[in-house]
Amino acid sequence: MRLHPVIMAGGSGTRFWPLSRKKRPKQFLALATERPLITETAERLGSLARRQDLLIVCGRLHAASARRLVKGISAKNVIVEPAARNTAPAIGLAALHVFRRDPQGVMLVLPSDHHVADVAGFQRALAQAAEIARGGALVTLGIRPTRPETGYGYLRLGEPLAGQARRVAAFVEKPDLATAERYLQSGEYLWNGGIFVFRADRILDELHRHMPELAAGLDTIGISLGKQNAARVLARTFPQLPSVSIDYGVMEKAQDIAVVKGDFGWSDVGSFAALPEVRPQDARGNVVSGSGAVLIDCSDCVVVTAGRPLALVGLKEMVAVDSGDAVLVLPRGRNQDVREVVAALSKDPKLSRYL
Amino acid sequence: MRLHPVIMAGGSGTRFWPLSRKKRPKQFLALATERPLITETAERLGSLARRQDLLIVCGRLHAASARRLVKGISAKNVIVEPAARNTAPAIGLAALHVFRRDPQGVMLVLPSDHHVADVAGFQRALAQAAEIARGGALVTLGIRPTRPETGYGYLRLGEPLAGQARRVAAFVEKPDLATAERYLQSGEYLWNGGIFVFRADRILDELHRHMPELAAGLDTIGISLGKQNAARVLARTFPQLPSVSIDYGVMEKAQDIAVVKGDFGWSDVGSFAALPEVRPQDARGNVVSGSGAVLIDCSDCVVVTAGRPLALVGLKEMVAVDSGDAVLVLPRGRNQDVREVVAALSKDPKLSRYL
């Protein structure tokens, strides 16, 4: 069985401004370790797949960075989306490429911007999922919750399947805190980490069943692959595809989704405030990334420096980030307000170049 | 009557780090307006004195900056102290120069790093003080207190003298808050702003009377002035002079100090937290200097930028300063802790170059 990892690197969020920029979104930042998240994502696959079978899907602006940061990847394995159309079209496009190379090939669909602490456990879970997927099932990795998180979607566990897999009874939306606590207590819910394992032919089948408009466009693109007009067909067709997530478009509707439970120190590194999940803390709960930080009487702060001095005195539960050409300071609990900063910058002709 | 302003620019404090550096102390920063404090100090003299009679006393490291920032000053009017020895030796040295040019000349001793909002009122007070000083008195400007400030020394008013001047009954040290409130209520105390007016011959007399060791050194230097060995004598003698303030060395001991009351919007711009005294505030009490600041839901903050984005969210009563190559964030009430930051930087071989 040949495994075809597909690293989904189309994201372009703003929650890590000023570190993240239009040309340098989150997946290209060294947030959890000293290496960029996308580099870690490729490296943690170990010997599960050959490097020549690894695909990256990303936007035009990011293809060069992706090639630079993932060692040994060839240009033809970087699939450039002509426009950002969410995960269903991106996965469909990747499936066309995998199918053409290896009709029964099993895809490992991997977000490019998450962190995994226990790499061996992660590989074991993926291998188990691939074994199940080989038989035709759509498989997802469900992550055992460690706290009543309201920021993630959940999977409700269904009946047992072969091995230690379970059927997914339902995909459920982000819960409120009381519901999240109930989920945590029950043991019957797992986090949906957006990691999927399935055969290329099977996901294309399911796209035909549940997203016929998308599938028709993919057919057009698929026919062109390897031909002279491929780039032109892609550029014309892809931007017209419906912008829908694979979760909403397929997973929530398909029958017989299997879930393999994982417990491998996963984090989606959702914001600066989440860095304490993945980075060591000092005795006062501060997380410091980079050199040049001077902390006097600070506690429970998240600090990212650019080498030059970033001096903080008497701060509690704050985020302070110096990207080298811009600085952000805000309370840990208000990380979502980075949006407002980005909105203000985008309205200012002198400052919008910092986005 | 020729007036000889002497701008005292020997200061080298650290309270404005990261804006201030060893080579760029507070007086060279544009803190209160868009021009450096030393530039404003020279310009606010208006027509009180001729530019060729203006002297600046400063350290070797700062002579070039002083010349650059005070328009029209000649090299021979920048008196370089071979070592920092506090204000009594600096004023004595300046008095030697003034005495040599104009034996009955009246000196206006002016700190280089204060702000004055009402320039006309300031000039009136200085002119009145000079008129009194012409008769031989040592005169100080006393500043009418506007709040129970515990960070300044005070003057207690004595009996009335000619004009609207009063005798100084006593120089008093920085009070505690209760005492400062009593001072403020009584109307009998003024702030000591370190502004002195006296004839050069008279301050040299008083230095002979109260600081004979200092005066002996000054005599040695005075004899050398204009001779070939002047620089050598200064370099050898000045660093040996006792390091004493003019307040402690002369003013607190001399008889018959006169005080002219001033009410001209004075501030010593003592720290970043003092910028709201001298700079306009927005509707939420924020003071912002420079471009690039993005404030979301901030109040009563002091923000200094370096042109690039400095984004602050949800901060109250904080100071945030970006110097372009270093950043400081601390609560307004903890401005004195900049010292600790500077101490930490000085211990770090990689960061000490930012001092």
Side-chain angles (χ1 to χ4, degrees), chain B residues 62-144:
Chain B
H62 307 135
S65 295
R67 286 193 64 188
R68 187 165 42 81
L69 296 175
V70 176
K71 285 233 166 62
I73 192 151
S74 62
K76 70 178 196 323
N77 279 20
V78 177
I79 304 174
V80 174
E81 303 172 289
R85 303 304 287 160
N86 210 327
T87 51
I91 289 170
L93 180 61
L96 294 175
H97 283 267
V98 172
F99 183 77
R100 193 160 166 268
R101 297 167 172 210
D102 179 10
Q104 298 265 303
V106 170
M107 302 167 63
L108 311 175
V109 176
L110 305 165
S112 59
D113 59 351
H114 293 173
H115 177 69
V116 167
D118 172 12
V119 170
F122 174 75
Q123 291 178 353
R124 278 196 302 274
L126 271 185
Q128 192 188 344
E131 199 54 53
I132 298 165
R134 182 155 73 150
L138 308 188
V139 189
T140 183
L141 295 197
I143 291 139
R144 194 212 300 260

Side-chain angles (χ1 to χ4, degrees), chain A residues 105-188:
Chain A
V106 170
M107 300 166 66
L108 312 175
V109 175
L110 304 166
S112 59
D113 60 351
H114 293 174
H115 177 69
V116 166
D118 172 13
V119 170
F122 173 76
Q123 291 177 353
R124 278 195 303 274
L126 271 185
Q128 192 188 343
E131 199 53 57
I132 298 164
R134 182 156 71 152
L138 308 188
V139 190
T140 183
L141 295 197
I143 293 140
R144 194 213 300 259
T146 55
R147 57 177 189 272
E149 174 65 52
T150 58
Y152 301 152
Y154 284 70
L155 311 167
R156 182 154 56 83
L157 291 169
E159 62 197 88
L161 298 174
Q164 285 162 37
R166 300 275 289 267
R167 181 160 287 160
V168 175
F171 283 75
V172 292
E173 300 282 311
K174 294 173 185 178
D176 61 24
L177 184 60
T179 308
E181 275 166 351
R182 192 159 51 76
Y183 287 178
L184 182 64
Q185 293 304 318
S186 76
E188 287 301 301

Side-chain angles (χ1 to χ4, degrees), chain A residues 17 294 296-297 308-315 318 324-331 334 337 340-341 344-345 351 354, chain B residues 17 292 294 296-297 308-315 318 324-331 334 337 340-341 344-345 351 354:
Chain A
W17 188 90
V294 176
I296 310 276
D297 187 24
R308 57 191 186 155
L310 175 57
L312 308 173
V313 178
L315 302 188
M318 300 286 282
D325 64 352
V327 175
L328 171 73
V329 182
L330 82 177
R334 297 191 64 168
D337 292 348
E340 292 192 46
V341 171
L345 291 172
L351 299 180
Y354 291 96
Chain B
W17 189 90
V294 176
I296 309 277
D297 187 24
R308 57 190 187 158
L310 174 58
L312 308 173
V313 178
L315 303 189
M318 300 286 282
D325 64 351
V327 176
L328 171 73
V329 182
L330 82 177
R334 297 190 65 168
D337 291 350
E340 291 191 48
V341 171
L345 292 171
L351 299 181
Y354 291 95

